[in-house]
Amino acid sequence: MPEKKDILLPLKSRGMSGWLMPLMTGAVCLMLSGILCLNLVQYEQENLKDKVQSEADFLAEHTSADIRNRISTLQRMVKRWESLGGTSEEEFISYANAYLADTPGYQALEWVDKDLLVRWVVPLKGNEQAKNLNLSSEGKRKFALLKARDTKSPAVTSPVELVQGGNGFLVYLPLYVNGEFQGFILAVFRIKEWLDYVFNARDNLGLGDFRICAFYDDAPVFMQEGWDDKQNPALDAMSHTGMMEHRISINVQPGISFIRQNRTLLPEMAAVSGIILSCLVTFVMFLFRKARMEARMANAAKSALHESEQSLRRLGDNLPNGMVYQVVREMDGRQHFIYVSAGVERLNGVTPEAVLNDPEVLYGQIIEEDREKVVEAEKASNQSFTVFNVEARIRNARGELRWVQLCSAPRRLPDGRILWDGIQMDITGQKNMEQALRESELKHRMLFETANDAIMLMRSDRFIDCNARALTVFGCTREQIIGVPPYEYSVPKQPDGRSSSEKALEKITLALTTGPQFFEWEHCRKDGTSFMAEVSLNRLELGGEILLQAIVRDISARKETERALHENERKYRELVEHANSIILRWTHDGRISFLNEFGQRFFGYTAEEIIGRHVHHSPIGRQWWT
């Protein structure tokens, strides 16, 4: 008969194959939406890149326009100077102050005489070190000065270290009056302040939109805060502009706010829409295929369920020493069986039909002493909705007294009734074994407790149990000996001179590894008095645990008797050996067994020559009887 799982396995396989085509279609849709999403992302990236490049181009052009405007203004100052044939220091300072007040970014405006010495400085405060400075002492400054003088046109230096501190550059405008060289108008720019002004003048440049870095002849001269914290390096853009023979490069990096403002949700929307569309297509196709298979699967499941129920019924009917049952509790409290397996005939001696018609056929077999216990267990299972499990005695229809175990689990039916699915097992054999085991344990306990020898159980080197005789022998209470090692009730050293603890552990190890040990031992009682004992150590296994059984027999009286006997023998031997008479002993068959020293001297033979010979045939016999 095929099992239920064997029947459902092909159904599951068909269910998985039913997903194959919908999943493939959904995967194609998902792939197409992914391609669309990637194209949108790339388009947005290129669009952002173009906007950043435009901003970089604008800033470069704005920077170039600013420096052109400044040089143009400075050239007007030069023309005014030349048209007037010169100017006084007061007029120069006044004009320069007015110009500087409206145009940030300068460190100073200066007049340099034809000897290349700085004579006038505006403003003077903060630029005191520049006054009377000889500009021919430094290469970059001198090169630009000479170039401006010789070409009669403005010249710009490379980035220089300003005497006032910081980086900057210088713009020289030569002065000629009627062809006579009268020096230069020198504009001193502080690069950071100038570029701050230029970039902040950008009307639509919001805070956090961009970070800017500038290069003067490829040397970094300006870097806004946070430049190194790049959000998206791929969007960086650079633009270049010329300033006379020099080059200024503007590198623009977009900020988070710019990226957020100029990025749309189209890629994300396309991705989400693609996923949703793919899932919908997949699900719709699956439902379509599932509808075609549902009828076949339902029929197969119904057939498998019927086969499973038949298998369970056959299993219940053939259950040895037991039977399967179902009990229903009606809404009015009545209980009756709705299913009883054929095992009830073997166990209870009644037919399933009889039990189904009248539940008292089974309940009535429970003996009177156990019936209340069964009723209480049923009531508790009904109230707390827990497993009903009870052992009881029945007298079946054949008059046999049997022990049974009733076990069932409750479940609530859709109509509110309670159904118990249960099993009844014959446990008579188990109960008989338990009774025999209890009687055996009682018998062994009585032997253990009434033995005339002290009997102890040991785990490793500690006493864990003892009989009453042990307490008498050692003169202690049970609490005083349990958990104590045997050498605690021993003299410090044994008669052979060895330590009691060392020798006891050796005997314990031998008993556990090689076999039983039997030896004499000098113990002591709780009050310190010692006594000799015979000890037997035997390994045994109880409940899967390896233990030692120690049997101790007090042999003090026997030892005293042996000692007295040895003393009597010694005295007798001394009396015989030193007697001035011949003392001769022989066995019942005439063999000589003893001749004292006086007899040996008298006859002239040693004991070795005489003992064992027949008394009549020995030299003594011949001399004695002649």
Side-chain angles (χ1 to χ4, degrees), residues 284-318:
V284 169
M285 288 193 67
F286 171 74
L287 290 178
F288 176 73
R289 292 175 63 86
K290 181 182 177 183
R292 298 173 58 189
M293 300 171 62
E294 217 166 44
R296 293 198 304 270
M297 292 178 65
N299 291 334
K302 184 177 180 181
S303 176
L305 179 60
H306 178 73
E307 182 65 25
S308 175
E309 290 177 350
Q310 292 300 318
S311 298
L312 289 176
R313 288 183 180 274
R314 285 193 292 270
L315 177 63
D317 291 341
N318 294 284

Side-chain angles (χ1 to χ4, degrees), residues 456-465 474 476-490 508 526:
M456 287 84 74
L457 288 180
M458 297 169 57
R459 180 184 293 114
S460 183
D461 65 338
R462 303 282 167 164
F463 294 124
I464 62 172
D465 197 7
F474 289 101
C476 64
T477 63
R478 184 177 181 82
E479 291 74 17
Q480 291 171 332
I481 195 170
I482 298 302
V484 175
Y487 42 82
E488 290 292 325
Y489 282 88
S490 305
I508 290 171
K526 186 63 179 177

